[in-house]
Amino acid sequence: MQLSDSHAHVYSEQFKPDQDDMLLRAFEAGVRTIFMPNIDHTSIDAMLEVEAKYPSQCFAQMGLHPCHVTRNFEKELYEVETWLSRRPFAAVGECGIDLYWDKTLLAEQQEALRIQVDLAKKYNLPLVLHTREAFREAADIIAAAQDGTLRGVFHCFSGTRQEAEEVIRLGFKLGIGGVATFKNGGLDKVLPGLELEHLLLETDCPYLAPIPYRGKRNEPAYLPFVAHRVAEIMGKDPEEVAEVTTRNTLALFGEVGK
């Protein structure tokens, strides 16, 4: 089984003690490519160090995470654009809106997302969207900006079937991770009947570990558990799920991992 982890923070401090061993476990588990979304200016160096060490497997993306949007977010986005103008990246992200922790900066998060949407258009890159407790707010911004050129993924999708169909109509993919394995995750009611061409697989490590590792540190080596659960839910062969979602991921992110 050949897999691509479309969303993994393998540069995280949580992996510092065993980063090389963790990545070796991923490669041995069949995860051939790993895409790394940025958080803010403090995560860039660690992310690029991983990419430099594993240039054929780990690929950097550049953006500002909504949970790290502050009242002076323009300074962060200036650095994002500086990096985008300097060298290739696989995507703009992760960006979006998060209203789970704090709703007081919604206006700033919306503006930061609009700016990053414009950057995605300017540099002809896909978007990696974070929409926790904020699907409507983020989807409205994407819909208003969609001119036929925007593409990307609603990462860590755990919404309704109606929301999934809206994502597809917008021309975006659904990022499916460990939530698919949770008993009350809800994706067993969303995924049946959808086409595999609309899905990417992800871990979002070190977060959201799938069953049987729920509650522990997540890592890309656990991606096969997601693939098998998606196959079970959709009535597909796990090899087909792996093949199609990997193809989708490489196509979306410019096939940089081929």
Side-chain angles (χ1 to χ4, degrees):
M1 183 182 288
Q2 304 290 303
L3 292 159
S4 182
D5 191 341
S6 66
H7 195 106
H9 302 276
V10 292
Y11 55 81
S12 166
E13 279 287 317
Q14 292 192 38
F15 294 119
K16 197 168 185 179
D18 65 338
Q19 188 179 76
D20 291 326
D21 289 340
M22 174 270 295
L23 287 169
L24 181 60
R25 287 193 293 272
F27 305 147
E28 289 177 343
V31 180
R32 293 292 176 255
T33 47
I34 298 171
F35 291 88
M36 304 179 294
N38 189 49
I39 299 297
D40 64 9
H41 76 279
T42 67
S43 56
I44 295 172
D45 286 349
M47 178 180 67
L48 295 182
E49 283 171 14
V50 174
E51 186 188 58
K53 197 169 185 181
Y54 298 94
S56 299
Q57 293 102 355
C58 298
F59 304 95
Q61 302 168 337
M62 180 53 59
L64 175 62
H65 193 294
C67 290
H68 292 253
V69 169
T70 62
R71 298 205 184 277
N72 65 339
F73 66 91
E74 291 93 345
K75 185 178 179 182
E76 287 277 358
L77 289 181
Y78 176 79
E79 183 146 9
V80 166
E81 178 157 26
T82 298
W83 275 103
L84 288 170
S85 68
R86 189 180 294 169
R87 47 146 288 174
F89 286 91
V92 173
E94 93 189 70
C95 56
I97 299 176
D98 187 308
L99 300 180
Y100 179 79
W101 298 108
D102 184 4
K103 297 180 174 63
T104 60
L105 293 175
L106 173 59
E108 287 83 354
Q109 288 191 40
Q110 288 170 318
E111 183 60 18
L113 176 55
R114 290 189 190 98
I115 291 170
Q116 290 178 91
V117 166
D118 289 342
L119 290 174
K121 288 183 176 181
K122 179 177 179 178
Y123 292 97
N124 190 28
L125 290 171
L127 284 160
V128 175
L129 296 171
H130 173 113
T131 61
R132 191 177 189 188
E133 299 293 329
F135 176 85
R136 183 74 274 137
E137 290 81 356
D140 284 348
I141 288 174
I142 298 303
Q146 182 57 279
D147 57 2
T149 65
L150 275 184
R151 62 200 189 279
V153 56
F154 279 66
H155 121 81
C156 195
F157 182 82
S158 58
T160 65
R161 177 61 178 254
Q162 184 178 4
E163 289 170 342
E165 291 171 349
E166 182 173 354
V167 169
I168 292 167
R169 284 196 303 273
L170 285 170
F172 278 63
K173 305 294 186 187
L174 303 163
I176 307 298
V179 172
T181 70
F182 298 170
K183 184 177 180 182
N184 297 313
L187 288 173
D188 57 324
K189 298 176 177 62
V190 174
L191 295 180
L194 293 182
E195 297 295 330
L196 282 173
E197 68 186 78
H198 302 305
L199 308 184
L200 310 184
L201 299 186
E202 63 171 67
T203 57
D204 195 21
C205 67
Y207 317 107
L208 290 172
I211 290 171
Y213 296 100
R214 188 175 185 182
K216 296 184 171 64
R217 186 191 74 174
N218 198 6
E219 59 181 75
Y222 301 160
L223 194 60
F225 291 99
V226 177
H228 278 91
R229 179 57 179 151
V230 168
E232 183 181 23
I233 291 172
M234 299 182 72
K236 304 282 188 181
D237 181 81
E239 289 286 349
E240 182 187 6
V241 170
E243 179 185 348
V244 177
T245 57
T246 296
R247 186 168 67 236
N248 296 343
T249 301
L250 298 181
L252 180 64
F253 295 140
E255 303 200 11
V256 292
K258 278 204 167 181

